[in-house]
Amino acid sequence: MTFLNAIFRNLFSRPATRRYPFVKREPFPGTRGQLAIDPDRCIYCGICAKRCPANAITVSKTPSKSWTLDNYRCVICGYCVEVCPKKCLTMKQDYFSPK
Ligand code: SF4
Ligand code: SF4
């Protein structure tokens, strides 16, 4: 009898899962998806690269100014966002997906 109850309950109730990727769940507040930089505010001081525990950031001042992130090394800890003196790093809520 318990078995029949479970069958009828599941026949007439909403599914417990979403039809991903057609229906996506809204991210929770504070979700850490991927790192983003505002290059116009960056002074290329290199603090983020020095503090990154995964060595995912490379900053160069010479010969040309560059800031690069290795998404495959980044562990999304958010430490670089905290230490950046210009506050030009942010954590986006959408996840990194390779192109
Ligand atoms: S800490 Fe901030 S300002 Fe300095 S290089 Fe990193 S992103 Fe740029
Ligand atoms: S989020 Fe963490 S692991 Fe990723 S680049 Fe910043 S400090 Fe490094």
Side-chain angles (χ1 to χ4, degrees), residues 35 51-54 56-57 69 73-80 91:
L35 191 60
R51 299 290 181 84
C52 173
I57 300 174
L69 170 70
R73 293 189 73 107
C74 177
V75 294
I76 321 288
C77 65
Y79 193 39
C80 54
M91 197 59 78

Side-chain angles (χ1 to χ4, degrees), residues 70-91:
D70 184 345
N71 276 301
Y72 294 104
R73 293 189 73 107
C74 177
V75 294
I76 321 288
C77 65
Y79 193 39
C80 54
V81 177
E82 285 178 30
V83 299
C84 175
K86 301 303 283 183
K87 300 295 173 210
C88 56
L89 294 174
T90 50
M91 197 59 78

Side-chain angles (χ1 to χ4, degrees), residues 51-64:
R51 299 290 181 84
C52 173
N55 289 328
I57 300 174
T58 307
V59 179
S60 171
K61 275 193 168 177
T62 54
S64 59

Side-chain angles (χ1 to χ4, degrees), residues 32-72:
R32 291 182 290 185
Q34 63 175 304
L35 191 60
I37 183 170
D38 178 356
D40 295 335
R41 290 166 56 192
C42 179
I43 56 173
Y44 302 94
C45 62
I47 291 176
C48 55
K50 284 184 196 129
R51 299 290 181 84
C52 173
N55 289 328
I57 300 174
T58 307
V59 179
S60 171
K61 275 193 168 177
T62 54
S64 59
K65 293 178 178 175
S66 70
W67 183 99
T68 52
L69 170 70
D70 184 345
N71 276 301
Y72 294 104

